[in-house]
Amino acid sequence: MLRGIENRVRRWLFGRDLAVWYAPEYRLPLSNVETRTGFEPRRADYAVWYLLESNAIAGRNLRTPRRAEYAELARVHTPELLDSLGRAETLARIWPVDPSDLPVDEMMTTFRLACGATIDAAREMVAPSQRIVGRRALNLFGGFHHAKPDVAAGHCPVNDVAVAISALRVEGFRGRVLVIDLDAHPPDGTAACLAQDPSHWIGSISGSDWGSLPGVDETVLPEGAGDEAYLTALDALLSRMPGGDLAFVLAGGDVLSGDSLGRLGLTLAGCRERDLRVADALFRVPSVWLPAGGYARDSWRVLAGTGMALGIRSRMPIPKRYDPLAAKFSAIARSFSPAELDGDADLGLGSGRSKLFLGFFTAEGIEHALHRYGLLPQLTRMGYGPFRVEIHDEGVGQSARLLDAPSGQVLIELVAEKQRIAGAEMLYVHWLALRHPRAHFSEERRQLPGQDVPGLGLAREMSALLLRMAVGLGLEGLALRPAAYHLAYRGRESMRFVDPARQGRFEALVRDLAGLPLGEATRAVMEGRVSMNGAPYKWEADEMVRWIKPRPDDRLAIEAEKQRVKFEVA
Ligand SMILES: [Zn+2]
């Protein structure tokens, strides 16, 4: 509470004119990008939700992007390149996903919105102003620095920074532009795009050596370089930086330790310090900040941290246990009127006029909830809809199905009932399938046990929604028996096995199979190729729970079992 007030005061002091560009469409319309690249498609969502909730920014700081026009893109990129972006194969190659899983128009909408925002942010920053200190803008998607005039590469179809600079030049802006590229990879595309620009300087710190980059003040740090080495190099770079009239800062998230593509080893505190030092160095220079890469679970925290640095100049860490989806869904639930999810009170249970899921939710109420919590908008972008929800009684429990009405195909199937588990009333999930029938299995995306088609990439949203259903039913949490290793693995951050020893064996299994891709690890367990302390190991589908009010783990018992067992793959 006090923190909220303090942040509001700091926001007034430091960030009241910070422009934050964001659209829900910044989320890539891809179902498999997280598994394939480690990129968190919800990064911009998580960051903006957290910044608003923590009062680091206010609603009036937000700006709505427009799609960049092809006339703007064509100032930098060749017709051949722009033409190729209309084909799923081109975009699938740079992301990299299977072309069957790539809706071209929606994908380009995401990138054109980000690009339009970078252009308009830059325009706003150089517009005449009374202020003597530099104004700042943060675009929550952008910094596509690997795109060259004629080549799309490395997650970058077009180069938003170069397109924005060319837009300003056409409008008569003659000032010197600074590009401070702090992504973990070198700005090869930006250097190529800006080669003809009359007045610019590019400074960069990377963790990968891609050879010499003409026109770039490039520092390559050794693999694993941490906060101290990085900040020393940053101070040196900033001391060499010339004066400028507009800056673009690529505050890359892939400098974070453990990133799957970046090779540096910064902590979250180190990333925040980086941003504060750059912001100080640009005190008088208007700047546009962009997130660039980030391929770790916590990369959204780097981006939210950039917003904390710009909005309230704060070093306060984002709480480790903070779950952005759970927080957002709980806020949406508070905004629901109680009558929206459940059946009409007048109809009641026994009227027979409307079947209720778990005695509470109507099909209409479930469909509306799927819309409000953002699942239907994402499915629409993936090419599905209009939708229909059906409720049926099953042998055990009841099913609720979301169907794609035109094809009649099932997209989401939930079979559940109320059950007493671990001494508490729980929402027990017998079966949950998230089906993406338009996508195909491929060498990169192999079938997992229990799948007939690839998944939708919405498991986190569905889990948060199930938790809201449990709250609505007055239950204490969610429970399920994971039929295979990958199901327990995916739920491991919020769910625990009821039995501490079972949890210990599971954590030991995660530890010992860490070197294997998830699908391969799952198959190894299912096919009996894993041994525990030398004896064949059979998957134990015991009860896992997620409490609405989190309960402390019995860490002692968990650790004891975890140390006792050792798994090996034959
Ligand atoms: Zn990168």
Side-chain angles (χ1 to χ4, degrees):
M1 184 63 197
L2 271 178
R3 178 72 55 205
I5 295 168
E6 188 195 320
N7 283 353
R8 255 174 246 175
V9 172
R10 296 176 72 89
R11 187 178 76 210
W12 185 84
L13 282 171
F14 303 111
R16 61 185 184 279
D17 60 359
L18 175 69
V20 179
W21 294 82
Y22 162 77
E25 291 82 6
Y26 278 5
R27 176 173 181 163
L28 294 170
L30 305 174
S31 64
N32 196 37
V33 65
E34 214 177 329
T35 327
R36 283 287 286 131
T37 66
F39 181 77
E40 168 55 84
R42 308 163 187 86
R43 178 175 69 168
D45 298 326
Y46 286 0
V48 80
W49 296 343
Y50 184 78
L51 291 171
L52 287 167
E53 193 188 319
S54 63
N55 282 309
I57 62 169
R60 65 183 157 69
N61 293 104
L62 291 179
R63 305 280 192 281
T64 303
R66 54 145 186 121
R67 293 195 307 173
E69 296 299 329
Y70 273 97
E72 294 172 308
L73 303 176
R75 289 194 196 110
V76 169
H77 297 291
T78 61
E80 292 76 21
L81 169 76
L82 295 177
D83 190 43
S84 75
L85 298 181
R87 292 192 289 275
E89 290 69 23
T90 315
L91 295 168
R93 179 176 54 75
I94 63 176
W95 252 94
V97 291
D98 193 83
S100 69
D101 187 18
L102 199 140
V104 171
D105 296 347
E106 289 297 335
M107 188 78 171
M108 283 311 291
T109 290
T110 296
F111 282 96
R112 287 175 64 189
L113 284 171
C115 203
T118 303
I119 299 169
D120 289 351
R123 275 200 185 117
E124 187 180 334
M125 292 305 103
V126 299
S129 143
Q130 301 301 313
R131 286 179 48 98
I132 30 169
V133 296
R135 288 181 293 177
R136 281 138 342 146
L138 171 62
N139 181 8
L140 294 176
F141 194 45
F144 310 129
H145 62 163
H146 297 312
K148 297 177 180 170
D150 56 345
V151 184
H155 310 151
C156 306
V158 288
N159 194 309
D160 58 326
V161 169
V163 168
I165 294 171
S166 71
L168 296 183
R169 296 295 188 216
V170 164
E171 288 155 20
F173 177 74
R174 294 212 172 82
R176 182 193 270 148
V177 178
L178 310 173
V179 180
I180 305 164
D181 192 314
L182 303 177
D183 184 273
H185 303 97
D188 54 342
T190 308
C193 291
L194 294 187
Q196 309 301 325
D197 183 82
S199 184
H200 71 276
W201 175 86
I202 306 174
S204 163
I205 302 176
S206 301
S208 303
D209 192 347
W210 291 0
S212 90
L213 269 184
V216 179
D217 181 333
E218 165 87 333
T219 307
V220 179
L221 292 174
E223 195 165 330
D227 294 349
E228 211 185 312
Y230 190 93
L231 293 169
T232 304
L234 178 65
D235 288 342
L237 180 74
L238 293 174
S239 73
R240 296 193 298 272
M241 179 172 74
D245 304 291
L246 173 66
F248 291 89
V249 183
L250 280 74
D254 52 7
V255 297
L256 193 65
S257 168
D259 188 274
S260 61
L261 297 180
R263 299 206 184 131
L264 295 168
L266 271 70
T267 65
L268 284 165
C271 295
R272 189 82 62 91
E273 184 62 32
R274 169 194 74 176
D275 295 345
L276 287 166
R277 289 191 192 184
V278 175
D280 283 351
L282 294 173
F283 181 67
R284 290 180 191 286
V285 185
S287 52
V288 177
W289 294 64
L290 302 157
Y295 312 93
R297 279 300 305 281
D298 272 347
S299 61
W300 77 267
R301 292 170 187 267
V302 179
L303 178 55
T306 302
M308 301 278 283
L310 297 175
I312 55 176
R313 261 204 82 75
S314 169
R315 286 186 170 78
M316 183 65 61
I318 298 164
K320 232 183 158 49
R321 293 187 70 95
Y322 180 82
D323 176 343
L325 258 185
K328 176 66 174 177
F329 277 30
S330 146
I332 295 174
R334 283 196 299 275
S335 72
F336 265 70
S337 77
E340 280 185 77
L341 259 184
D342 61 357
D344 187 328
D346 290 334
L347 289 175
L349 268 175
S351 74
R353 285 169 65 186
S354 180
K355 192 184 272 297
L356 297 177
F357 186 60
L358 305 175
F360 193 75
F361 305 105
T362 61
E364 292 299 314
I366 291 172
E367 190 173 334
H368 181 222
L370 288 167
H371 165 76
R372 279 291 294 275
Y373 289 104
L375 285 92
L376 296 191
Q378 181 69 5
L379 289 173
T380 302
R381 298 191 71 207
M382 289 161 70
Y384 296 109
F387 305 100
R388 191 173 77 239
V389 169
E390 289 180 357
I391 297 170
H392 297 283
D393 292 321
E394 303 290 335
V396 281
Q398 277 182 309
S399 66
R401 288 193 193 101
L402 175 76
L403 293 105
D404 173 53
S407 65
Q409 281 172 316
V410 176
L411 304 177
I412 299 180
E413 182 175 45
L414 167 66
V415 181
E417 65 179 327
K418 291 186 239 181
Q419 224 182 71
R420 200 163 177 82
I421 285 165
E425 289 294 325
M426 303 294 249
L427 174 59
Y428 185 84
V429 177
H430 285 283
W431 169 254
L432 174 63
L434 301 171
R435 303 177 68 256
H436 189 4
R438 277 168 181 266
H440 304 310
F441 291 115
S442 62
E443 200 46 48
E444 288 77 35
R445 190 176 198 184
R446 294 177 61 193
Q447 198 166 2
L448 289 165
Q451 282 187 331
D452 61 339
V453 295
L456 289 169
L458 292 170
R460 270 186 233 291
E461 284 78 4
M462 202 55 210
S463 160
L465 183 57
L466 288 171
L467 198 69
R468 296 321 312 171
M469 286 178 113
V471 172
L473 290 165
L475 304 173
E476 290 191 63
L478 291 180
L480 55 81
R481 288 171 189 269
Y485 173 69
H486 68 282
L487 299 169
Y489 183 89
R490 289 201 172 134
R492 73 193 186 287
E493 274 161 42
S494 54
M495 304 201 76
R496 294 284 175 275
F497 283 97
V498 174
D499 172 19
R502 175 69 189 91
Q503 178 67 20
R505 282 195 296 285
F506 172 64
E507 289 183 18
L509 190 60
V510 171
R511 174 194 67 204
D512 298 337
L513 298 186
L516 289 181
L518 183 56
E520 179 51 34
T522 298
R523 277 184 289 274
V525 176
M526 292 316 257
E527 290 161 11
R529 286 185 281 122
V530 173
S531 63
M532 180 174 81
N533 293 348
Y537 178 69
K538 196 170 167 318
W539 177 250
E540 308 160 82
D542 294 319
E543 286 150 355
M544 269 186 123
V545 291
R546 176 174 182 179
W547 298 99
I548 290 166
K549 290 205 178 73
R551 300 188 172 187
D553 292 335
D554 185 351
R555 271 328 301 178
L556 273 177
I558 293 171
E559 286 299 329
E561 180 74 357
K562 191 174 169 182
Q563 297 315 318
R564 191 188 69 81
V565 298
K566 173 93 189 112
F567 290 94
E568 269 166 321
V569 184

